[in-house]
Structure formats: C-alpha cells, structure tokens
Amino acid sequence: MKQKKTNVKQTKKTKQPTKPNRHIFIKVLVLILVVLLATCAFIFFRYSKTSEYGISPYKTQKQWQASYILPEYKPNAEITGQYDKLLSAKCENGIFVGQKQDDVIAWRGIPYATQPVGERRFRPAIAPKKSDKVFQAYYYGPSCMQPIDKTGGELSSQYHQGEDCLNLNIWSNVNGGPSKPVLVYIHGGGWLQGGTADPLYNGQFFAQFNPDIIVVTVTYRMGMMGMINLTDFPDGADYITSTSNNLLDLVQSLKWIKNNIASFGGDPNNITIAGESAGGAAVSALCIIPSARGLFQKAIAMSGSATQGSDIETTYLLPDAIKRAFNTESVSDIQNIDFETLREYWDINNADLYSLLIRDDLIYPADPYLAWENGKTKDLIIMQGHTSNEFRYFQDVFGGDLDFFNAISDGAALVDEEAGTDEFRSACIACNVDPDSVTQSD
C-alpha cells in the first residue's frame, strides 16, 4: 500500500505543467502593442498633421479649422506706462512691444514706412519718422486696398482695409542662437489681393519649430494704389513711379528690416526673401532692381517670375476709367476722393488693370531677361520652382476642366471658341500668361 501511495504522488507530479503560461505571455504582448499603437497615434496626430502652416500644433480638426478665423483688428496704441522690456525691440521709428505665445514673441503691425495717406497717396514709400515713443505691436495692420473676395479664397480681403497699410510682422523664438538668419515672406494674390492678416501667413508655428530663424511678413500696395499710371494727368509728372509703388514698398520694407532686425535678434547680413505667385514674381523682380541691391543675400521664388509683366501701354485703362467715373482732371482730384469710395469702385472695376508687374523701364526694366543675362543677380543665391497642384485653385475660381488650365500653363493649342473669350483672357492673366501670346498655332 505504501508503494501504491508513492506511485500516486509521483503520478500527480508528472501532471504539473512545465511550459510557460501562455495567457500571461499573450497579455504582456497585447499590452506592449497597445502602448506602441497609442504612442504612434499620438506622434501622428500631434506632429504629422499638416496644414498651410506646415506642422500644425492642433490636436483636433475643430481646433485646426478654428485657426482660419481672421484675427481681430485694432490700431496699435502708444504705451505711456510700464511695459515688459523683455518683449520690446528698439527701432528707428519707436520701441515696439510684442506678445509671447509659447516660446515665440510676435510683433505685429510695425510700420516700415511713412504711411501713404493724404497727399502721400500714390507716392513712393519713404522711411518712417524717427521716434523714441513706445507702441503696442499686438495687432496686424490693415490690409491694403483690394476687392473683397466673398468666396473666402483671399481672407485678407475680408480683413479691415486702409491706406495706412505699410506694415510688417516679426516672429522670433526665444530659443536658438544669437544673430539669427531672417526669412522675409512676400504674400501672393496676383498683385490684386492678399495680406498678412490671413492665417495662412501666421509665422507663429514656423518660428516655433524653427527656433534659429526669424520670420517676417510684409504688406504692400497692390492694384489701384500700387500700380496705377498717372502720367497722363497734368500733374502726373510728380507720380512717375506710381506704376511700381508695389515694388518700391517692398524695397523700403527691406531697408527697414536691414536697419532694425538686429533689435529682434536677426542678422542684417543674412536675409532671405521668399514668396509665391505674385510674391514669387516680386522676389524675382527684387533680384534685378538696383535700389534693392545689398538688402538681401538669398531669394526663393515660387510660381512667379520676373518675366511676368505688362508693357506700360496697358496701364492707361484704369486712369481713363477713373476720369470718366469721377469726372476727375488731375491727380489732386483723385486724392480728394475718400478711401471707401475708391475701394467700392475698385471692388467692381478691378479688371481695368492687369495684375502683372509693369515694365516701366524706370523702376522695373523693360527687358528683365537682359538684366538677368547681364549678371545683375550674380551675387545672390537663388532657388526657383513652383508649388504643387496650384492650378486647382484657378479651376475653383474660373470653373471648367483642369486640363484647360494645364493647357494654358503649357502654352498648348486651344480651340477657337475658347481662345477669344473674356474667360480665356481672364484665366491667362490670372495664370500670369499673356493672353495674346497663346494662340492656336502655339
């Protein structure tokens, strides 16, 4: 019997499992997978979601959509009391106090020129008056005069507009090294619309993720205020640069930046200008304008070329139309028309001026190819290219088949019924193509 009991005990021992517990192993494996998936999801939604800003800090689609709400407009006021000196920058025309969000200080609505109001309407930009006063730099300045885009394609057109629009905005990360390189971004809009209040051009997040670069965005006059030809008026000799005030505004902004950017931690000898569409054309043009020489060292032109311009003859349409509409006989008469009346007229009649650079051969050369050929840009580092899928925007604006717009871009043959229409000419102009240069034989 004793032997039997012993055998039973030995039998029971042989039934004990010696293999690892599969249930515990599976649980550990599932836990590891869950942690990995959660980590990947966090990284994806936190850092990989992109918008027109680049890398977006928003965690939800609702927050991302809310970012496209236009900012509030308020005039930046003088500060007479205490202010945070760590958020201030001393410039030639005043001490400007910004606002800090996360690690980035933003200065908005800093005037870079004497504002072109009153008798300075239609005149070239000049340096602002020197000042030791302290000013807020909390709010974007007004958008320059432009037709209001009710479709939302150009949000800056729905922002407050005014003639006192020659302002710029600066973003600088408190981290990063001293004397940072400077990126000056010039907005597009076909020389007709656009502005820095559009959330598309908010430099906050670029500076946040690129702490070693200072970001600057600039407003400039367009259309009627920036490109009108006034030389046919009896007093027009005093306004011979009016067709190129858009470019002269940008030149003055670069002068201000070079003279003052060190106060914001920037290197005045390491400035890159960049832009897209009309902004890209502006970048290309600034490379060959003598008055802009030495104000920047590098250029990035996207979807815009210095060759995209109109002859001076095309610029007489608008002043002739204004003469008829307002019974004006001089530039002084036009200056006496209030801003809102002119803006309402321009809102309806903006097709009277091509949205291209004006080859006046005074500021902008009549033959930009020759300027490039003669080595005007030899001391600059230039990057040139185009944005992806940009013609989808024009398809939305003008309608029609995307292949039609690609044909315009390529200079391809077009059917007779399309080539002569107003829609065709408008599409060509919007795409920076001379409509008379695209024929059935091309």
Side-chain angles (χ1 to χ4, degrees):
M1 293 295 291
K2 289 182 180 180
Q3 183 65 36
K4 187 176 181 181
K5 288 181 180 179
T6 303
N7 289 340
V8 171
K9 288 181 180 179
Q10 288 177 350
T11 304
K12 287 182 179 180
K13 285 182 180 180
T14 59
K15 290 182 179 180
Q16 292 296 325
T18 58
K19 296 183 291 185
N21 192 319
R22 291 184 179 180
H23 294 291
I24 296 175
F25 177 76
I26 292 173
K27 288 179 181 179
V28 172
L29 181 60
V30 170
L31 181 62
I32 293 172
L33 289 174
V34 169
V35 171
L36 286 174
L37 288 173
T39 302
C40 292
F42 172 80
I43 293 172
F44 177 80
F45 287 107
R46 176 63 176 84
Y47 294 105
S48 298
K49 184 184 289 185
T50 59
S51 68
E52 285 83 349
Y53 293 133
I55 300 175
S56 171
Y58 300 114
K59 298 179 181 179
T60 68
Q61 184 72 11
K62 186 176 181 181
Q63 289 176 327
W64 181 75
Q65 290 173 339
S67 71
Y68 278 84
I69 298 174
L70 278 169
E72 178 186 18
Y73 170 75
K74 282 186 180 180
N76 285 311
E78 181 182 351
I79 299 175
T80 56
Q82 298 294 318
Y83 62 93
D84 190 340
K85 291 181 172 55
L86 295 177
L87 301 179
S88 68
K90 182 173 176 55
C91 304
E92 295 175 328
N93 52 326
I95 299 171
F96 297 95
V97 182
Q99 294 176 314
K100 185 179 178 182
Q101 178 183 341
D102 297 325
D103 291 329
V104 177
I105 303 175
W107 294 268
R108 302 180 182 88
I110 298 177
Y112 64 79
T114 298
Q115 297 297 350
V117 299
E119 293 183 354
R120 290 216 57 80
R121 179 187 282 180
F122 303 126
R123 293 188 182 274
I126 59 174
K129 293 181 179 179
K130 295 185 181 297
S131 175
D132 293 322
K133 294 181 178 180
V134 182
F135 300 97
Q136 296 174 341
Y138 303 162
Y139 307 102
Y140 292 101
S143 293
C144 294
M145 178 192 284
Q146 57 192 276
I148 296 177
D149 185 349
K150 298 179 178 61
T151 67
E154 289 288 353
L155 284 180
S156 288
S157 69
Q158 300 175 15
Y159 189 66
H160 175 78
Q161 296 186 27
E163 288 186 88
D164 53 336
C165 62
L166 302 189
N167 306 288
L168 53 77
N169 317 287
I170 301 172
W171 289 266
S172 179
N173 198 309
V174 296
N175 302 309
S179 198
K180 301 177 183 180
V182 181
L183 174 66
V184 180
Y185 191 84
I186 302 170
H187 69 79
W191 302 111
L192 185 67
Q193 292 176 310
T196 61
D198 190 330
L200 184 68
Y201 305 118
N202 185 349
Q204 170 74 27
F205 308 119
F206 188 97
Q208 181 175 328
F209 289 96
N210 298 275
D212 289 315
I213 299 176
I214 287 180
V215 184
V216 183
T217 59
V218 181
T219 57
Y220 55 93
R221 285 174 288 180
M222 306 165 289
M224 180 192 296
M225 293 303 185
M227 306 169 71
I228 190 172
N229 188 341
L230 300 170
T231 56
D232 263 6
F233 288 96
D235 52 350
D238 294 332
Y239 301 89
I240 57 175
T241 66
S242 61
T243 52
S244 294
N245 279 337
N246 51 353
L247 294 177
L248 293 177
D249 288 349
L250 293 171
V251 170
Q252 173 54 36
S253 74
L254 291 172
K255 289 179 179 178
W256 188 96
I257 292 167
K258 187 173 181 64
N259 292 339
N260 296 279
I261 200 64
S263 296
F264 301 87
D267 183 354
N269 297 313
N270 191 359
I271 296 174
T272 300
I273 60 173
E276 180 267 340
S277 192
V283 168
S284 298
L286 289 167
C287 290
I288 57 176
I289 293 176
S291 58
R293 195 163 299 150
L295 299 179
F296 59 96
Q297 292 71 44
K298 304 162 192 172
I300 303 173
M302 297 175 284
S303 302
S305 167
T307 61
Q308 297 168 340
S310 294
D311 294 330
I312 194 71
E313 287 75 16
T314 64
T315 63
Y316 294 107
L317 295 173
L318 179 62
D320 288 345
I322 291 176
K323 286 179 184 179
R324 295 191 300 270
F326 296 100
N327 194 28
T328 56
E329 297 180 357
S330 66
V331 179
S332 297
D333 289 344
I334 303 177
Q335 287 181 328
N336 290 330
I337 302 173
D338 67 90
F339 174 81
E340 189 57 30
T341 298
L342 279 178
R343 195 208 62 74
E344 290 177 357
Y345 173 82
W346 186 237
D347 202 14
I348 300 172
N349 299 280
N350 56 77
D352 288 329
L353 183 67
Y354 284 137
S355 57
L356 297 171
L357 288 169
I358 309 301
R359 295 191 286 257
D360 57 7
D361 211 23
L362 180 64
I363 304 300
Y364 186 58
D367 188 351
Y369 287 105
L370 190 60
W372 285 74
E373 184 180 342
N374 289 340
K376 298 294 185 183
T377 64
K378 62 183 178 64
D379 296 325
L380 298 171
I381 299 173
I382 300 173
M383 179 188 299
Q384 198 159 18
H386 65 86
T387 58
S388 177
N389 297 321
E390 59 189 291
F391 272 92
R392 293 185 184 278
Y393 171 83
F394 297 106
Q395 183 189 26
D396 290 340
V397 172
F398 295 104
D401 190 344
L402 183 61
D403 291 338
F404 170 63
F405 292 94
N406 288 334
I408 296 175
S409 177
D410 297 336
L414 299 169
V415 296
D416 290 338
E417 59 265 29
E418 289 175 336
T421 63
D422 291 338
E423 290 79 6
F424 168 81
R425 297 185 65 84
S426 297
C428 285
I429 292 168
C431 300
N432 287 328
V433 175
D434 181 359
D436 296 324
S437 69
V438 183
T439 65
Q440 193 172 13
S441 61
D442 287 341

